[in-house]
Amino acid sequence: MSESRHLQGWVPWPDDVARRYRAKGYWIGQTLEQLLAERADVLGGRIALVCGERRFSYAQLHRHVLQAANGFHRLGIRAQDRVVVQLPNIAEFFVACFALFRLGALPVLALPAHRQAEITHFCQLSDARAYVCADHDAGFDYRVLARDVQPACPALRHVIVVGDAQEFCPWTSLLEHDGWALPPSPAASEVAFLQLSGGSTGLPKLIPRTHDDYLYSVRASADICALTHNSVYLCALPVSHNFPLSSPGTLGTLYAGGRVVLAPRPTPDECFPLIKRERVTLTALVPPLAMLWLDAARKRDDDLSSLQLLQVGGARLSAEAAARVKPILRCRLQQVFGMAEGLVNYTRADDDDVLLHNTQGRPISPDDEIRIVDDDDQPVAPGCSGHLLTRGPYTIRGYYRAQEHNLRAFTADGFYRSGDIVRQMPSGHLVVEGRSKDQINRGGEKIAAEEVENYLLAHPAVHDVALVAMPDAHLGEKSCAFVIAQGTPPRAIDLQRFLRERGVAPYKIPDRIEFVDRFPKTSVGKVNKRALREQIARRLQGVIPS
Ligand code: AMP
Ligand code: DBH
């Protein structure tokens, strides 16, 4: 494969490293679509996907994929073109993504919660040629969003809508013809799609994942979780999120020949009946949802007896909550500590309760390199906490089109600076102790403080702002904006409405706004966010009156 075929703006692994990963059998040269094609050949009529009352066999799913690939191709979508895909938990997500994989075009995986600000940014940053969305979901009309996004994105030629397309291109029109004029499949070493980063600076970053590296993490995850063709995976979290997509998630289930069941919402009301009806064997949740399920399971008597494994990750799970999973849900718990940039850690089936309840697992691969360092990038003593740096066969070497940021986010020798503070047990298990990145983890939804601060600074009555995490019993953390006003302070709800009107995803809108005259400063004169976090935490405890 010549260098010039590589996607511009992608940082590949050094050649010798790539050769090693191939020689070790991590990268096997199969694309994501080829995996599905192979499963369709062998498993044909077995059910792959359940979406409401619709059931797709492996063969049917793959037939739709080829039809959609043809449809995208007829629209002019070619290898390496970017297509922003923003779909709820519906079968069309898989059809669209695998069709784009077949063409070598790159889905950009937006979340349903993203709004005009984020979608415009993804389209602009990636020069997306098309945007695929649903007509509406959870009371939100994505066609209105598309109308706002399109004028700001000159490269965007097509808006494809699942459902009532109004003036846009109907999804079903992509599936109309069977003129098989598809170009050759892409190389598995190429970038397959762009995943999203929770980020900590400026605007969200895009994460280029290759077929080779992603499928390795998927296969290895499926093996660690012992998935088989009898596994039934309930996708309760948003389908495009890295956790339910790959750890081992929906893709791991399809790899194993099992069955994926899509839940429209992650609530017990939606999920418990689905678990019973489909005899679900495993699912993945973020900690606040796990708590909600535990409470609900105690109060109701749904038949959840098919459930064998509950995975919890995305944010820190308390040891107390971890200990409640087995007695209440009568299934095993697995903690999962992962990142869309790559590295994923799992507790293992044979871990004792101490490891299971108190650690976030150990890496997938013997070739995941873990470095735990102090503020000067020097290794800490074994067992001490420090910054987690990592490198390995499925961890990226750079964000997409982010040359300058990459200098800070990666070391010169290619380690990703995760921004997590961890310590490692002698067994290799990691304990997540905190975070050095300027991010709020709102129950698994990551908020880059600087991004939201910039939105707020655009308000004429805001002189300066600092966004910090505040403790929350349900979500673990919520966001609090400390604001220095310019002139008469605006009302908090006016600032929140201002962000909403600018099309910022709802989860990023500050949960609380505190007006102050000045910020505490560190010795070098930076805003002391730690002091602000402590201030709001004390206020919430009632130590300082509001
Ligand atoms: P992202 O880079 O947006 O994919 O988010 C990944 C980040 O989520 C990690 O770097 C951690 O900060 C956080 N995270 C994921 N899983 C866990 C977990 N089990 N415990 C604590 N933090 C987690
Ligand atoms: O939070 C995450 O990004 C995450 C959590 C668990 C993840 O990307 C993953 C597993 O793969």
Side-chain angles (χ1 to χ4, degrees):
M1 188 64 40
S2 71
E3 273 304 301
S4 61
R5 289 269 330 260
H6 284 331
L7 179 72
Q8 284 202 349
W10 171 50
V11 185
W13 286 263
D15 285 342
D16 58 324
V17 177
R19 265 197 303 278
R20 180 155 55 86
Y21 292 157
R22 283 197 189 95
K24 288 203 165 183
Y26 301 146
W27 297 358
I28 62 169
Q30 184 180 50
T31 70
L32 287 150
E33 186 270 336
Q34 284 165 344
L35 167 70
L36 184 65
E38 214 177 86
R39 291 295 175 273
D41 263 357
V42 178
L43 302 173
R46 270 185 89 90
I47 297 299
L49 191 58
V50 179
C51 174
E53 299 309 313
R54 296 186 293 164
R55 305 173 96 75
F56 298 81
S57 70
Y58 276 87
Q60 280 167 334
L61 180 60
H62 191 242
R63 196 167 332 119
H64 285 298
V65 166
L66 292 181
Q67 284 172 336
N70 226 260
F72 279 122
H73 195 249
R74 267 182 290 120
L75 286 182
I77 304 298
R78 296 291 179 266
Q80 298 195 353
D81 282 350
R82 277 77 61 196
V83 175
V84 174
V85 175
Q86 185 184 31
L87 290 172
N89 290 7
I90 55 176
E92 285 75 7
F93 171 82
F94 293 96
V95 180
C97 287
F98 278 104
L100 294 166
F101 297 152
R102 172 63 187 79
L103 294 174
L106 280 58
V108 181
L109 298 184
L111 291 166
H114 287 136
R115 294 291 176 260
Q116 184 193 348
E118 290 88 8
I119 300 298
T120 303
H121 170 64
F122 299 144
C123 289
Q124 289 177 345
L125 175 59
S126 69
D127 289 317
R129 273 190 163 244
Y131 165 53
V132 183
C133 63
D135 50 1
H136 53 79
D137 181 56
F140 183 75
D141 191 333
Y142 289 90
R143 295 160 302 193
V144 175
L145 175 58
R147 275 176 216 125
D148 289 337
V149 167
Q150 218 173 8
C153 305
L156 194 65
R157 305 266 173 78
H158 309 282
V159 173
I160 300 156
V161 178
V162 179
D164 175 6
Q166 294 177 342
E167 75 269 35
F168 300 115
C169 173
W171 165 259
T172 46
S173 71
L174 264 62
L175 307 173
E176 274 165 9
H177 301 282
D178 294 87
W180 306 126
L182 291 175
S185 287
S189 54
E190 294 295 322
V191 176
F193 63 100
L194 297 170
Q195 184 56 286
L196 303 188
S197 151
S200 55
T201 58
L203 288 161
K205 304 289 180 290
L206 296 177
I207 298 170
R209 302 292 303 257
T210 65
H211 298 273
D212 269 336
D213 88 74
Y214 209 63
L215 261 184
Y216 168 53
S217 78
V218 166
R219 289 193 312 270
S221 295
D223 290 346
I224 287 168
C225 299
L227 296 196
T228 70
H229 60 275
N230 292 322
S231 299
V232 182
Y233 178 83
L234 182 76
C235 180
L237 294 172
V239 64
S240 64
H241 190 278
N242 205 57
F243 183 13
L245 189 59
S246 68
S247 298
T250 56
L251 293 180
T253 304
L254 296 176
Y255 161 74
R259 182 177 297 187
V260 170
V261 177
L262 297 172
R265 315 266 160 255
T267 54
D269 280 349
E270 292 282 355
C271 290
F272 287 7
L274 272 177
I275 292 174
K276 176 175 177 213
R277 187 183 90 184
E278 302 294 335
R279 304 300 294 162
V280 166
T281 62
L282 80 157
T283 188
L285 297 174
V286 290
L289 282 172
M291 318 274 236
L292 196 69
W293 281 38
L294 288 172
D295 285 347
R298 252 201 314 233
K299 290 185 194 130
R300 9 192 313 178
D301 62 349
D302 302 75
D303 175 8
L304 306 178
S305 58
S306 58
L307 204 57
Q308 297 166 7
L309 181 69
L310 176 69
Q311 302 180 290
V312 182
R316 180 73 196 260
L317 179 71
S318 73
E320 297 73 48
R324 281 196 276 138
V325 169
K326 198 173 203 169
I328 296 177
L329 290 172
R330 300 185 194 292
C331 70
R332 277 198 305 117
L333 165 73
Q334 180 181 52
Q335 296 214 39
V336 189
F337 163 41
M339 49 204 76
E341 288 81 355
L343 180 71
V344 181
N345 304 274
Y346 296 101
T347 54
R348 302 302 205 266
D350 56 0
D351 286 346
D352 61 28
D353 281 354
V354 176
L355 288 176
L356 188 61
H357 298 164
N358 297 286
T359 81
Q360 280 62 59
R362 61 181 170 85
I364 288 179
S365 174
D367 276 86
D368 279 321
E369 299 171 69
I370 301 292
R371 237 190 231 169
I372 303 176
V373 301
D374 63 20
D375 290 346
D376 299 318
D377 272 358
Q378 297 307 307
V380 297
C384 292
S385 58
H387 305 274
L388 169 65
L389 313 184
T390 184
R391 192 167 75 166
Y394 59 99
T395 297
I396 58 163
R397 294 297 184 117
Y399 291 104
Y400 175 65
R401 292 186 173 172
Q403 224 173 356
E404 212 173 294
H405 178 69
N406 285 339
L407 294 174
R408 274 171 285 142
F410 295 83
T411 64
D413 55 352
F415 278 78
Y416 167 57
R417 297 181 189 276
S418 72
D420 294 309
I421 306 284
V422 304
R423 75 188 151 82
Q424 192 163 32
M425 318 276 282
S427 60
H429 288 67
L430 298 172
V431 179
V432 182
E433 304 223 296
R435 172 165 81 232
S436 58
K437 54 192 167 190
D438 198 1
Q439 186 182 76
I440 293 125
N441 190 333
R442 196 176 183 277
E445 289 186 302
K446 321 298 189 307
I447 304 168
E450 189 188 319
E451 181 191 356
V452 178
E453 287 162 1
N454 285 337
Y455 292 132
L456 280 167
L457 282 170
H459 191 283
V462 173
H463 170 69
D464 204 355
V465 56
L467 192 80
V468 298
M470 60 181 184
D472 179 76
H474 177 55
L475 292 173
E477 292 178 7
K478 279 185 171 178
S479 68
C480 174
F482 283 87
V483 171
I484 301 176
Q486 191 126 268
T488 320
R491 290 181 309 168
I493 53 163
D494 292 333
L495 289 181
Q496 286 157 334
R497 187 178 322 118
F498 176 74
L499 292 193
R500 211 167 291 124
E501 282 167 0
R502 290 178 81 91
V504 177
Y507 68 89
K508 293 183 189 169
I509 296 180
D511 295 290
R512 180 174 175 127
I513 297 180
E514 294 275 307
F515 292 96
V516 291
D517 295 331
R518 72 184 78 85
F519 296 138
K521 294 282 168 66
T522 65
S523 50
V524 287
K526 290 203 280 187
V527 176
N528 188 343
K529 286 200 165 178
R530 178 194 297 241
L532 290 174
R533 278 193 293 272
E534 285 167 5
Q535 188 174 323
I536 188 63
R538 283 201 305 272
R539 181 153 298 161
L540 292 175
Q541 283 173 347
V543 181
I544 310 177
S546 300

